[in-house]
Amino acid sequence: MDETSAEPGAVRLVHNADRDRYEALDGDEVLAVLAHEDEDPPDGDGRALGVRLRDLRSTVVAPERSGAGIGSAIVRFALDDIRGLGMTVRPTCWFVRGWIERHPEYADLLETAAPETDGDDR
């Protein structure tokens, strides 16, 4: 499990790879979860290139801790981890998508859509 270093009593942010999620912990108590799924999208020739995309699917913060910045902290932690791994991100989760819109310095992590064609191959 990858985690941040934390001061005593501070919220710890960890990547729980066995459960495909990032977690914010206070001791053993889970305060927030950011669930993800890794994908191996094919290249233009249909060949798999290894896991390169992390789909951030759902962010949940304990209701009693809502508004304390934990959701933002876990998203930043996840995106920094994804950047360090050289991956791209698909923000399926509305909270993550909005967070990236408010923090354009993370927009470079977004997956790029394949060029659309109009069906006319002339």
Side-chain angles (χ1 to χ4, degrees):
M1 194 176 326
D2 301 330
E3 69 180 79
T4 63
S5 58
E7 301 172 15
V11 172
R12 287 184 304 124
L13 300 171
V14 300
H15 180 222
N16 188 338
D18 292 340
R19 298 188 72 185
D20 292 332
R21 68 189 203 177
Y22 294 92
E23 300 171 343
L25 304 169
D26 184 359
D28 291 334
E29 181 184 1
V30 178
L31 304 178
V33 171
L34 173 50
H36 70 77
E37 182 175 330
D38 290 343
E39 295 183 19
D40 181 12
D43 69 2
D45 295 326
R47 294 182 306 244
L49 299 175
V51 175
R52 299 177 302 142
L53 175 73
R54 182 158 288 169
D55 186 351
L56 299 179
R57 298 186 162 225
S58 173
T59 307
V60 179
V61 177
E64 65 275 8
R65 299 301 282 266
S66 181
I70 295 171
S72 292
I74 201 169
V75 170
R76 183 182 302 273
F77 178 75
L79 293 173
D80 287 342
D81 183 53
I82 291 164
R83 176 171 278 140
L85 295 169
M87 298 174 74
T88 58
V89 66
R90 176 184 301 140
T92 301
C93 171
W94 65 268
F95 182 81
V96 174
R97 194 168 42 254
W99 194 93
I100 293 171
E101 288 172 3
R102 291 186 308 278
H103 299 87
E105 64 272 24
Y106 287 91
D108 62 305
L109 295 175
L110 294 170
E111 73 174 326
T112 55
E116 292 185 28
T117 62
D118 61 6
D120 189 0
D121 292 333
R122 284 186 252 179

